[in-house]
Amino acid sequence: MKLSVYILCGFMMFVFTACGTTSASLNINTAPSQQSQQQAQSSQKNQTEAPKPQPQPAGVITFDQGGPLPKGVQPPVDTYLKPGEVFVPGYAPDRFEGNWGIGKIITPASEKTKGEAEAVQFYDNKPIWISANFIITKSRPATAEELHEGMLVLCGKIDEYGRRNYDTWFLGVVKSMEYLYKGEILMERYPHDALPKQFQWKLNLIRIIEEPTLRFKKVGNNYMKLP
C-alpha cells in the first residue's frame, strides 16, 4: 500500500514538472516573435511615410517649372527660336502679368553689372538694362505628357500676320488637362490687383521655362517677380 502511494506521488511530481517546463518554453519562444513583429511594423511605417516638403525662404514663392521629360518622350523640334534668341521682358517685367518678346542679350550679367544684363527686344530694338533673372534664356516647346496641374509655363500670343517681332509671351499656371482632347490646356493667370483668371490655351503655343527659375513674392492679389 505504502509502495503504491510513493509511486503515485512520484508520477504526479513528474507530470507537474513536465507541464511547468512546457509552459516556460512557450513563454521563451513567443517573446522574440512579438518583438520581431513590432520591429517589422515600425520598419514598414518608416518606408511608407512621405518625406516632408522642404521650406522655402521666408516670403519667396517658386512654382513648379517641370523637369526632365518622361522616359521615352522626345521633345518637339523647336522651330520657333533661332540660335542666340531669348525672351526679353516688355510690359510690367516685375509682375506675374508681364510679358516677353523675342530678343537677344547684348551684355551678359556679371558682378560688375550688379546682376543686370543689357538686352534688346526685336520689337523696338531699344537696349535696356534689366535683372538677368527676368530674362528667359532657355525654353522649349511643351509636350502633353509632361504637363500637370500647378506647372508654371509660357503662353504665346502669335501675331496674326506672322511677324515674330510682334509675338508676345506671358505666364500661365496649368489648372487642368481636361480639354486636351481638343489640343487645349486649362490655364490660370494672376492679373495685378484682380482675381485669378482662367482660360484655355493651345498646347502648341505653350513652352517650358528651363532657365531661370522665376521667384515671386505675394503682394496683395498679385505675384511680384524677384530680381
Side-chain angles (χ1 to χ4, degrees):
M1 178 67 179
K2 291 182 179 180
L3 179 60
S4 299
V5 172
Y6 291 152
I7 293 173
L8 179 61
C9 291
F11 177 74
M12 292 179 65
M13 288 179 64
F14 172 78
V15 171
F16 289 152
T17 303
C19 292
T21 304
T22 304
S23 176
S25 65
L26 288 174
N27 290 336
I28 293 172
N29 290 337
T30 55
S33 176
Q34 293 174 352
Q35 183 178 5
S36 300
Q37 187 176 7
Q38 291 175 353
Q39 290 175 348
Q41 291 174 348
S42 176
S43 175
Q44 184 178 10
K45 182 179 179 181
N46 291 336
Q47 291 176 359
T48 56
E49 285 180 351
K52 295 181 180 179
Q54 296 298 317
Q56 294 288 339
V60 177
I61 299 171
T62 58
F63 291 84
D64 176 10
Q65 294 182 197
L69 283 166
K71 188 176 181 180
V73 177
Q74 296 296 323
V77 177
D78 192 356
T79 59
Y80 185 73
L81 289 182
K82 298 176 181 179
E85 292 183 340
V86 298
F87 288 109
V88 178
Y91 164 75
D94 60 341
R95 296 180 183 177
F96 189 98
E97 65 178 324
N99 61 31
W100 288 261
I102 302 173
K104 65 178 181 180
I105 295 175
I106 301 173
T107 306
S110 65
E111 185 176 347
K112 183 178 179 180
T113 65
K114 299 181 180 181
E116 292 189 344
E118 185 183 18
V120 61
Q121 246 195 47
F122 295 152
Y123 171 75
D124 56 11
N125 285 313
K126 294 180 179 179
I128 60 170
W129 284 94
I130 194 166
S131 169
N133 291 328
F134 290 168
I135 301 173
I136 297 177
T137 55
K138 190 176 180 181
S139 64
R140 59 172 173 79
T143 66
E145 291 82 357
E146 67 184 319
L147 293 179
H148 54 263
E149 184 178 353
M151 277 187 69
L152 179 71
V153 297
L154 271 180
C155 303
K157 190 174 182 181
I158 307 303
D159 179 67
E160 60 180 330
Y161 299 107
R163 299 170 296 182
R164 292 175 70 248
N165 296 355
Y166 285 73
D167 295 348
T168 57
W169 293 78
F170 58 93
L171 296 176
V173 175
V174 177
K175 294 300 292 182
S176 171
M177 303 292 289
E178 61 184 296
Y179 300 108
L180 184 59
Y181 67 91
K182 56 181 179 180
E184 296 181 353
I185 311 297
L186 181 64
M187 310 291 296
E188 185 171 81
R189 63 182 309 200
Y190 309 107
H192 186 63
D193 291 333
L195 294 175
K197 180 181 179 182
Q198 292 191 356
F199 59 98
Q200 292 172 223
W201 212 250
K202 292 290 185 182
L203 174 62
N204 62 353
L205 296 178
I206 295 176
R207 295 181 69 91
I208 301 298
I209 304 170
E210 295 184 306
E211 293 179 8
T213 298
L214 299 177
R215 304 182 310 142
F216 302 83
K217 65 178 179 179
K218 194 76 180 289
V219 179
N221 291 325
N222 197 38
Y223 290 94
M224 306 294 291
K225 296 191 198 83
L226 295 173

